Amino acid sequence: MITLGEGNTPLLRAPRLSERFGVELWLKWEGANPTGSFKDRGMAVAVTRAVERGATGVVCASTGNTAASAAAYAARAGLHAVVFTSRGAVARGKVAQARAVGADVREIDGTFEDAHREARRLADEEGFVNVNSINPDRIEGQASAAREVVQQLGRVPDILALPYGGGGNTVAYAVGFGERLPRFVLGEADRREDTFASAIRIVEPVHRLEVGGVLKRSGGTLVTLSEDQLEEAWRLVAREEGVFCEPASAAGLAAVAASVTAAGQSVVCVLTGHGLKDPDATERLAA
Ligand SMILES: *Cc1c(COP(=O)(O)O)cnc(C)c1O
């Protein structure tokens, strides 16, 4: 198993946010993973399987965290990593992380979708394994987070809230919970093409159909958020609970804040990545 010690992240009670929203609120702190995001859960499995299949390298397109994670696990496995990003659209810390562990970072003049196309082409042509979330090993690995939540809480929460970028994480949580789903409350950026929450800067969610299915089966809600709503939720997590996540990570809380939630319900907000990744955005928090 190729591992860096991913998973088993804290589930933190959030007393001030609970009081503010009249619910029993918990934070699943995925920034505590080895490269600072939940992507490590899926990457450990995907890279392990890539090695088993005799791959020489892995490739992905990324808004940043998939790149940082793929790069680290590839280095750990002795594999080559190529990552495609959209120029100027990735937080500085994430590019630095990928480069630090030796990844070949290729910035392209185009959108995330263009980068995705490039990654798939390289996988087809060069025998690299694509480790984007279209790779089922990623989903399988990320499903562990749902089982952890149930274990840590002692039951399935009433509500699971998380950011919605491409939707891979939503699908993975649904797989992990199995038959008994919590109500999914998803937060997406109104300005998908240029939101400051760069981890969810994805115009065409690759898992859109499956996400629709999860929302339907769980009686869930999709909330479209303004930049102000995203920023406000991010500030609340930091100021009220002392947890410094990256901007996209607070989208689940922003969605809870913007939707009607029955008093006293148990709500788990998944904080997907660490605040240290995005020093430019972080200047807004201090303002
Ligand atoms: C990847 C990522 C997301 C979006 O997850 P999807 O599976 O694409 O919906 C949200 N937040 C952070 C920090 C991420 O790295």
Side-chain angles (χ1 to χ4, degrees), residues 149-174:
V149 165
V150 175
Q151 231 168 32
Q152 290 170 311
L153 199 63
R155 64 199 146 96
V156 177
D158 296 315
I159 290 173
L160 182 85
L162 72 170
Y164 171 27
N169 209 26
T170 301
V171 172
Y173 269 91

Side-chain angles (χ1 to χ4, degrees), residues 190-191 195-196 225-235 254 284:
D190 180 22
R191 287 168 50 174
T195 175
F196 88 112
L225 301 158
S226 70
E227 298 294 282
D228 283 348
Q229 285 175 302
L230 285 167
E231 188 171 334
E232 170 64 12
W234 183 40
R235 194 177 298 273
R284 292 178 182 228

Side-chain angles (χ1 to χ4, degrees), residues 38 133 139 142 164-173 206-207 211:
F38 74 84
S133 66
I139 303 295
Q142 284 169 211
Y164 171 27
N169 209 26
T170 301
V171 172
Y173 269 91
V206 73
H207 297 282
V211 168

Side-chain angles (χ1 to χ4, degrees), residues 39 61-66 85 89-91 94 112 198-202:
K39 301 294 199 303
S62 181
T63 60
N65 283 330
T66 299
T85 64
V90 175
K94 301 174 186 178
F112 172 78
S198 60
I200 53 173
R201 199 180 283 166
I202 292 174

